[in-house]
Amino acid sequence: MGSSGLTTLAILVAFALYCIYIFNNLVKLKNQFENGFSQIEVQLKRRYDLIPNLVETAKAYLKHESETLEAVVKARNAAATELSAASQNPGDSGQIQALAGAEGILGQAMGRFNMVMEAHPELKANTTMMQLTEELSSTENRVSFARQAFNDAVMSYNIFRESFPANIFAGLFGHNKKAALLEFEDSAQIAQAPKVSF
Amino acid sequence: MNFFEHQDKARKQSTRLLFLFLLAVSAVVFFTAIVITGTLTYFQTQGFLSNASSHMGYWTALLHNPILLWSLLGTLIFIVLGSTFKALQLGGNGIQVALAMNGKHVHPDTHNPDHQKLLNIITEMALASGNPVPKVFVMPGAAINAFAAGFNRHQTVVAVTEGALTQLNRDELQGVIAHEFSHINFGDVKINMRIVALLHGILLIGIIGRYIAWGSYGNYSYRSNSRRSGKQAGLGFALMAIGFTGTFFGNLIKAAVSRQREYLADAAAVQFTRNPDGIANALKKIAQGPSSTLESSHAEEFSHFYFSSLRLTGVQNFFSGLFATHPEIDKRIERLGHTLTFNTHNSPHGSTRANSQAMGLTGAIEITPASTGDIIDQNTPNQPPPAQYSTLKASNIINSIGNPTHSNLAAAQAHLASLPAILIDACSNPFSARALVYGLLIEATNKNYHSAQLDHLNINTHPETFRTLHQLQPAIKQLSPQNFHPLLLLAEPALQDQSTQQAAVFQHCAKALIQTDNQLSLLEWAIYRLAVAPLKTPKNKSNKSLKDCQSALNVLFYYTLSLTEPAQRAPLLTQAEKHLRLKITKPQKVSLNALDSAMNSITQLKPLSKPALIKALIACIIGDGKVTEEETTLLRMVALILDCPIPERFGF
């Protein structure tokens, strides 16, 4: 065996090891953001479970505001559908955006609901209502924290996927799509929602 | 056999396993190289055979061919690359295994009652055995099965099938989970991860052979050179055959190691739950169910991880017994003191067992029914009842490590029930778990610094985190320091869900809180090393003797003694030295910082040196008749870092 042959072999092995590293890192980063989405999913589900109770409690006080309540329920149902679709494939940017859109509409509906509630002090003072809004607000916090973790993980994945030389292999290894960040259009309004309870 | 002997055996088994795998690999490498060289030379010189008139000539020519050396090297590199690939892919944690099995992460915030029940059982068992709560996954499928995986205690995963959740009652599920916990406690999960990686390298040869063989068929239609394709197919099939042979031996080794550990895990599970019916009934349900096969293409690769074997029914022949990663289910039920009421298979177990022993693979790890009985019968009475601390003996604690019993489980349940609900809920997700850790760190500091700490958090964290902290603080103020430890074990899985950036911020803030008063307290160190930045158990060999760790031991023991009255120190040190059989000298610096770096070297102790160390430590702690909270914190932390978790005992 000549030394040049050995050198070539060593280079080939190093190259193979590098490819292995890139492949595994792509898989690992993808797993990380998919796992990150499952965290959001749990919290959003919790939120979607709380909203019907909230509406049920409010119904007795808001006889003339049934439109607002219906809008909340409708937006909640739409968002829940989008969530289960997105959870099937958190890497798909279309589905992530659809979820963000549905969440935006739900956020607006909740904003209107909160405004209505402000106008009804007796509803605001209801114990069940207070408990529910408190729980909802702590869920909001958990959602935004989980969303931040998800977006961080998506960023790491996208950055690695597009960096040289991983970008040469990414397509080859089946990572040919950029993952989408989950940005809620109306983040400001959502952030407002929990504060109403104080 | 106690925990340390099991761990030592596990370590020796790893070495033995590696050796057997190396044998299998060398055989595969050699035969592959011969086949490749044979094929290549046949291609190059069509007249090769005619030159070598005799058989002997052919072989001599083949062995002297430089291509042989190259193929030897090439094949070896291939196998090593294959194993490296798998090892890197598993990345040292069980999450990748769970995801490969289509597992879905169950978050503590879940609303599904079945999932909640599973989480409760796992949390209780983790606390009872003194382990951080593992991450929990649920796998799809109606079959009843479960597994545990992971390289170290801080990154372990327990996964259970949907079928197990719906078909088993709480006792049965508890039995299954206890079985998995004993795999975690005895370090089986580490060996299992290694087996997967090693087998993958050998598997690769067979896979490549299949590609080559298939490729040759694909080419057949449009290539005129059918003769060349024929050779290609020949090479492909030869490689496939070699690959299968390699896998054959690999699986044989895997099965032999795995099977014996299942009995042990069953026995330990009974001791843990003190309920042989639970696990026995679970096994019966599996035996009566359709099959415990899992719906994943990776199922076979990880077959030795599971609670029950993958192929349950099917032809019972000579090989099925030999390849079984698990003992036959009726044998397992029998050893638990039950009988399978219905009689479907009457296979000759005796013969297959005898065969596997004749292979000489199981000799060292054979556990006879008598010895499993010992584990149940002898250890249980040895456990002190939870309330009697005066009778706390070093040997009792040593025996209890890795062998949690029913009393530990009851203690853990009681302890969990005594913790404020708001704090347990805070452990369920990363957002509030952070606030909880901040709160505990503040509580661990002198009151005079609290306002400075809160000011710091107010500036550096999100206002909502700060608000959550405020909500938790009244409950935290009521806690006694002994409740910090279980809460931190509970918070671990949630804290691991932070992104890298979030974890960095968390670590930064925690450090700032610790440094406010310019001194590190033991409790602060424990919180930091448990929840913020756990010390990893070393992946490399742990073969240091006590003597090798002399300077680290000096620091550890002088620190431990600094927690007792100065007058008591000299006799305690003599006692510790007697256990260690070493002279402990005064180190240059006795501080927590020095202790922290000392722990790094102590983690590399070999298993059989650990009991002496723990005994000596316990002697130092209880020798003066007083056990302070600081001392128990230190003992728990040292034990956990040494990878020997001390089971929960209420009040200890």
Side-chain angles (χ1 to χ4, degrees), chain B residues 71-288:
Chain B
S71 353
L72 271 177
L73 199 62
T75 321
L76 187 67
I77 289 171
F78 236 99
I79 292 181
V80 171
L81 281 182
S83 290
T84 319
F85 172 81
K86 205 70 206 176
L88 275 175
Q89 193 186 36
L90 295 175
N93 68 48
I95 297 174
Q96 306 297 339
V97 180
L99 290 174
M101 295 300 312
N102 299 327
K104 221 166 161 354
H105 188 180
V106 179
H107 294 277
D109 267 345
T110 179
H111 271 203
N112 182 327
D114 278 341
H115 291 181
Q116 198 58 58
K117 181 174 76 179
L118 174 68
L119 285 175
N120 290 344
I121 293 174
I122 291 178
T123 307
E124 284 164 13
M125 296 217 152
L127 286 192
S129 56
N131 281 304
V133 178
K135 276 189 186 268
V136 180
F137 282 75
V138 169
M139 299 175 283
I144 301 174
N145 226 326
F147 73 80
F151 260 117
N152 74 56
R153 281 178 206 282
H154 293 282
Q155 288 179 329
T156 311
V157 157
V158 172
V160 170
T161 54
E162 287 283 357
L165 286 183
T166 50
Q167 292 166 54
L168 300 181
N169 66 28
R170 199 179 199 278
D171 281 350
E172 291 156 2
L173 195 57
Q174 202 180 34
V176 172
I177 302 294
H179 171 105
E180 296 307 329
F181 259 100
S182 99
H183 283 316
I184 296 176
N185 280 331
F186 290 132
D188 299 352
V189 283
K190 279 185 221 169
I191 302 185
N192 285 346
M193 299 283 272
R194 276 192 198 120
I195 291 179
V196 174
L198 286 169
L199 257 187
H200 192 79
I202 305 180
L203 217 64
L204 210 59
I205 300 286
I207 294 171
I208 289 166
R210 203 161 61 205
Y211 273 115
I212 294 175
W214 277 109
S216 71
Y217 280 118
N219 292 340
Y220 215 54
S221 50
Y222 57 86
R223 271 220 189 146
S224 56
N225 196 349
S226 63
R227 188 191 176 121
R228 193 188 166 92
S229 283
K231 294 291 168 310
Q232 201 183 336
L235 175 67
F237 283 121
L239 286 184
M240 264 166 85
I242 292 168
F244 282 133
T245 324
T247 320
F248 175 90
F249 285 111
N251 280 336
L252 213 62
I253 299 164
K254 164 167 130 176
V257 171
S258 168
R259 225 168 18 220
Q260 295 307 322
R261 309 206 132 246
E262 294 304 321
Y263 283 130
L264 177 63
D266 282 348
V270 171
Q271 189 198 333
F272 199 165
T273 57
R274 198 187 276 171
N275 182 4
D277 302 343
I279 190 165
N281 287 338
L283 284 167
K284 278 184 198 168
K285 278 192 183 165
I286 293 171
Q288 284 156 353

Side-chain angles (χ1 to χ4, degrees), chain A residues 1 5-6 9 13 16-17 20 23-24 28 31 35 38-39 41-43 46 49 134 137 141-142 145 148-149 152 198, chain B residues 69-70 73 77 81 85 88-89 96 99 104-105 107 109 111 425 428-432 434 464 467 471 497 499 501-502:
Chain A
M1 264 187 258
L6 275 179
L9 194 70
V13 169
L17 279 173
I20 287 176
F23 179 85
N24 281 321
K28 197 180 93 191
N31 281 343
N35 197 35
S38 78
Q39 174 80 23
E41 194 189 349
V42 171
Q43 304 303 345
R46 196 175 128 116
D49 286 346
E134 171 54 34
S137 82
N141 293 332
R142 294 172 186 193
F145 195 75
Q148 190 189 10
D152 284 346
F198 306 103
Chain B
L69 259 176
W70 279 106
L73 199 62
I77 289 171
L81 281 182
F85 172 81
L88 275 175
Q89 193 186 36
Q96 306 297 339
L99 290 174
K104 221 166 161 354
H105 188 180
H107 294 277
D109 267 345
H111 271 203
D425 182 54
S428 69
N429 72 91
F431 178 75
S432 46
R434 287 175 11 140
E464 288 301 325
R467 196 175 71 89
Q471 289 173 340
D497 277 339
S499 70
Q501 288 90 323
Q502 288 174 334

Side-chain angles (χ1 to χ4, degrees), chain B residues 310-329:
Chain B
L310 291 173
R311 262 166 284 116
L312 192 70
T313 46
V315 204
Q316 290 280 339
N317 57 25
F318 174 81
F319 288 114
S320 67
L322 215 53
F323 278 117
T325 46
H326 292 64
E328 276 168 53
I329 210 148

Side-chain angles (χ1 to χ4, degrees), chain A residues 40-48 83 99 103 143:
Chain A
I40 300 181
E41 194 189 349
V42 171
Q43 304 303 345
L44 280 181
K45 265 190 188 151
R46 196 175 128 116
R47 191 163 114 100
Y48 299 155
L83 175 65
L99 173 64
E103 265 294 319
V143 170

Side-chain angles (χ1 to χ4, degrees), chain A residues 114 118 124 137 188 190-198, chain B residues 463-464 467:
Chain A
N114 283 322
E118 282 294 303
K124 241 179 97 180
S137 82
I190 289 185
Q192 237 174 32
K195 282 186 190 142
V196 182
S197 58
F198 306 103
Chain B
E464 288 301 325
R467 196 175 71 89

Side-chain angles (χ1 to χ4, degrees), chain B residues 11 86 122 139 147 181 195 220 248 269 277 298 307-308 356 359 366 395-396 452 459 497-498 516 549 618 637:
Chain B
R11 195 176 61 101
K86 205 70 206 176
I122 291 178
M139 299 175 283
F147 73 80
F181 259 100
I195 291 179
Y220 215 54
F248 175 90
D277 302 343
H298 293 284
F307 175 68
S308 82
S356 60
M359 297 293 291
E366 177 71 12
S395 59
N396 284 338
I459 297 164
D497 277 339
Q498 295 179 101
T516 319
C549 302
I618 294 170
M637 283 307 294

